[in-house]
Amino acid sequence: MSGHSEAHAHPSVGTYGKIALILTIITVFEVSAYYIPAWESSAIYVPSMLSMSAVKFFLVVAYYMHLKYDHKLFRALFTGPFLVAGLTLIGLLFLFSKLVIRLGLLS
């Protein structure tokens, strides 16, 4: 009866500290972007905020939720539905005209 005796790798305290520092820096950029009018009114504001949020999400899920060190099955069970949900969200944004790709083919 081995039960739950299988040990898997965990990040070290130093790794947690580095990830916390990276998350803090990204958060500082996100908050400061709101107070910089030139950045907030530019076309890169929303993509940059979404990108920084995606990086923070990945870091939290990978390290603090231990998904990076778990079995591949758990990663597949998490990322598969996450991708389906993300693609559904993007499809709904296109459907309700909240997201548009301008190809210049109709002009």
Side-chain angles (χ1 to χ4, degrees), residues 57 76-94 99:
F57 174 79
L77 287 174
F78 182 80
T79 55
F82 181 73
L83 289 175
V84 170
L87 292 174
T88 302
L89 177 66
I90 291 171
L92 288 172
L93 288 172
F94 276 114
L99 187 63

Side-chain angles (χ1 to χ4, degrees), residues 16-31:
Y16 282 125
K18 290 175 187 171
I19 298 300
L21 180 65
I22 292 169
L23 292 173
T24 302
I25 291 170
I26 292 173
T27 302
V28 167
F29 276 114
E30 287 176 334
V31 172

Side-chain angles (χ1 to χ4, degrees), residues 19-52:
I19 298 300
L21 180 65
I22 292 169
L23 292 173
T24 302
I25 291 170
I26 292 173
T27 302
V28 167
F29 276 114
E30 287 176 334
V31 172
S32 65
Y34 181 75
Y35 292 103
I36 300 172
W39 190 355
E40 186 187 6
S41 61
S42 71
I44 64 165
Y45 179 71
V46 172
S48 65
M49 296 301 272
L50 290 174
S51 300
M52 288 189 281

Side-chain angles (χ1 to χ4, degrees), residues 62-104:
Y63 288 97
Y64 291 114
M65 294 176 66
H66 304 276
L67 199 59
K68 182 178 179 181
Y69 302 100
D70 273 343
H71 193 269
K72 290 181 180 180
L73 175 65
F74 295 131
R75 276 186 259 167
L77 287 174
F78 182 80
T79 55
F82 181 73
L83 289 175
V84 170
L87 292 174
T88 302
L89 177 66
I90 291 171
L92 288 172
L93 288 172
F94 276 114
L95 180 66
F96 294 108
S97 301
K98 300 296 181 188
L99 187 63
V100 177
I101 296 177
R102 299 191 192 285
L103 298 175

